[in-house]
Every structure is written in structure tokens, then in C-alpha cells.
Amino acid sequence: MTIQNLIDTGRFEVVNAGDDLTREIKDVFCCDLLSICMSKGIEDAAWVTVMGNVNTLAVMTLTDMACIVLAEGARMDEVGLQKAQSEGFTVLRTEDPIYPSARFIDDMIHA
Amino acid sequence: MSDSLEFKYQIDGEDFARVGHASTDVKKKLKMMGLPPDVIRRVSIAIYEGEINMVIHAYGGEITVTISEGDVKMVLADKGPGIPDIEKAMTAGYSTASESVRNLGFGAGMGLPNMKKYTDSIEIETELGVGTTVTMHVKF
Ligand SMILES: Nc1ncnc2c1ncn2[C@@H]1O[C@H](COP(=O)(O)OP(=O)(O)OP(=O)(O)O)[C@@H](O)[C@H]1O
Ligand SMILES: [Mg+2]
């Protein structure tokens, strides 16, 4: 499933559509503590988290995750939003909790 | 690659928006140099955690990365408060991070343990009220 396919499900609000929407999402990763994410983050995963700031974006880049999905109604702060826009990162969001959001993406990957 | 290459980064202790720029830039450079993905990942983790610590626990500082034949050397020097008990600081889960910093996702107390885990060597020199210098190597 590509990032574009995930967007097309309409399940998530698009905070920022990045510059590589053809990128393949291969897995799902859930965690909010950044130093754990940094060591356990999964390459090409959609990262479901409640942390919406520039640090999330830095960890996403460093671990080569595909996109960020903010759950539980979390929002990207202003500085993070600017960075996502200028660097072309995909950020989606939802009011739903982490588990159903992650499960939905996982189901889509394996559909 | 017989000559060594050196990169320096000034880390601003106030600038939360730019934190991660040194590790991101080093990662880019190592990728261009064609280093193995595993080496790039380990170096990225080590510098990122060190860089964050310089911002949230010290007042910024300087990072020097030297790449030579088979070795990436990282020196992170700050003029922060120093670390009173290194052994305690190295313990997984130990953190003195403030509430506001925790709200940003930091404070798991996993930074230093990650730096140790993902590098081949780590040495910490620290003096209270003077600063801390962390030297790490990743071999390849
Ligand atoms: N450069 C530094 N100067 C002063 N104190 C430091 C420095 N680096 C680490 N420390 C101390 O060591 C503790 C443990 O650091 P560590 O990086 O493992 O965890 P953390 O930064 O608190 O949380 P995390 O890295 O998981 O977000 C810190 O809480 C802090 O008290
Ligand atoms: Mg830390």
C-alpha cells in the first residue's frame, strides 16, 4: 500500500501530503517515547503516535519511517507543521485511539 | 578512503526547532559516502540521542564527527551542568527530564543506554558546573 492509497481510504485527515506519495508503507509502528522510537522505529512503517512536534519528524527521518499518523486527536504544532511542509513529509491525523488506527493500516497493508 | 573527513556542528541549546539537524545531516553524508545501512543507523541513533541531551540537559554545545578508514568518531562537547552520577545516568529508565520536556516525548531515560548499545565504545568525561564530553566510536 502506498501513502497515496492510505490517504485515498479517507480514514485520516491529511495534515500535510508529502512529496513522495508513491512510497510503499510496509509496516506499522506505535510508540510515543522518542528514544525508544529512535532505536525500535521500523523502516517504511506508518508511525502512529500522539507526539506532534519537530522531534517526531526528526525521528521519522532518522529511522526512515514512511509517514506519521497522529492519533487520539493529537495535532502537529506550528513549527512541526512548517517543517513537514518545507521538507515534504506526510502527516495524517485522526480523533481515534492508537490501536484501531494502527490496526486499520495493518489491515490495509495485508488486504 | 585513506584521508579522514571531519564535520562540525554547533548545537543551540535554546533551539528546539532545529534539534536533530546534526544527526540528520550526518546521516545524509554517510549515505552519500555509501556506508553500510547498519552503520548509518547506529551512528544516527548515537548522534541524535547525544544531540538531544545537549539541548535538554545542557545548553547546547559542539559535535565533531570524524570519518576515517573503518571508523566513525563522534565527540559531543557541552558546557552544561555535568552529570553527578554517570552510572545512574547510564541506567535504562533513569531521567531527570522536566515535565515540559517529557511532554515533547523525551524522558524515557533511554538515550544514554541507546548510545552505549549502538556504538562500539562510549566514554563520558564530565565535571559538575563545567560540562560533559561524550566520545563514541562506531567501527565498520
Ligand atoms: N549532556 C548532559 N549533561 C547533563 N546531564 C546529562 C547529559 N546527558 C544526560 N544527562 C543526564 O542523564 C540522564 C539520562 O540521560 P538519557 O539520555 O539516558 O535519558 P533522558 O535524556 O532523560 O531521556 P531520553 O533520552 O530517553 O529522552 C538525564 O536525564 C540527565 O539527568
Ligand atoms: Mg536523552
Side-chain angles (χ1 to χ4, degrees):
Chain A
M1 176 181 61
T2 63
I3 296 177
Q4 184 66 58
N5 296 150
L6 182 61
I7 290 174
D8 290 343
T9 63
R11 176 71 147 62
F12 302 103
E13 181 187 322
V14 179
V15 177
N16 188 62
D19 51 19
D20 184 10
L21 300 180
T22 59
R23 183 166 173 183
E24 199 70 26
I25 298 173
K26 297 183 182 156
D27 207 340
V28 190
F29 178 72
C30 306
C31 182
D32 302 310
L33 292 169
L34 297 176
S35 57
I36 294 177
C37 302
M38 192 60 215
S39 76
K40 299 283 163 67
I42 302 169
E43 197 175 334
D44 296 320
W47 177 15
V48 187
T49 178
V50 297
M51 289 296 167
N53 59 61
V54 278
N55 304 295
T56 331
L57 297 171
V59 171
M60 170 183 148
T61 313
L62 288 164
T63 54
D64 287 317
M65 288 197 269
C67 63
I68 289 174
V69 178
L70 295 171
E72 295 278 6
R75 288 177 185 280
M76 186 55 76
D77 66 17
E78 196 49 45
V79 183
L81 187 58
Q82 277 171 19
K83 183 155 177 141
Q85 287 164 348
S86 66
E87 310 256 320
F89 297 134
T90 298
V91 180
L92 310 178
R93 68 178 294 280
T94 174
E95 295 296 325
D96 292 343
I98 295 211
Y99 178 72
S101 309
R103 173 130 189 215
F104 174 81
I105 301 169
D106 200 47
D107 286 347
M108 291 302 298
I109 293 171
H110 297 104
Chain B
M1 195 170 44
S2 50
D3 301 278
S4 63
L5 268 177
E6 189 180 278
F7 306 112
K8 270 192 195 300
Y9 301 90
Q10 302 302 323
I11 307 302
D12 184 340
E14 304 291 301
D15 198 353
F16 262 91
R18 261 173 75 71
V19 67
H21 83 270
S23 34
T24 312
D25 191 71
V26 169
K27 183 183 173 186
K28 244 183 243 160
K29 291 200 160 88
L30 298 188
K31 222 170 172 174
M32 283 192 311
M33 292 168 70
L35 265 66
D38 174 60
V39 171
I40 298 178
R41 176 161 175 268
R42 292 166 63 209
V43 169
S44 301
I45 292 173
I47 302 183
Y48 176 75
E49 295 292 1
E51 187 179 359
I52 295 290
N53 281 353
M54 285 174 124
V55 175
I56 65 179
H57 305 300
Y59 324 111
E62 189 177 73
I63 300 180
T64 310
V65 181
T66 314
I67 301 151
S68 49
E69 190 75 54
D71 178 65
V72 181
K73 180 184 182 187
M74 299 155 269
V75 180
L76 297 90
D78 70 57
K79 292 189 165 53
I83 304 175
D85 185 340
I86 293 181
E87 204 180 317
K88 209 168 168 184
M90 294 294 296
T91 309
Y94 176 80
S95 175
T96 61
S98 65
E99 183 68 26
S100 63
V101 161
R102 282 176 198 268
N103 287 341
L104 293 172
F106 301 116
M110 289 307 295
L112 285 170
N114 275 350
M115 288 154 79
K116 187 179 162 72
K117 180 173 170 195
Y118 290 101
T119 56
D120 291 299
S121 73
I122 177 167
E123 190 187 318
I124 302 174
E125 285 170 86
T126 186
E127 196 178 333
L128 292 185
V130 178
T132 302
T133 299
V134 180
T135 305
M136 296 176 286
H137 287 270
V138 168
K139 307 273 181 200
F140 61 94

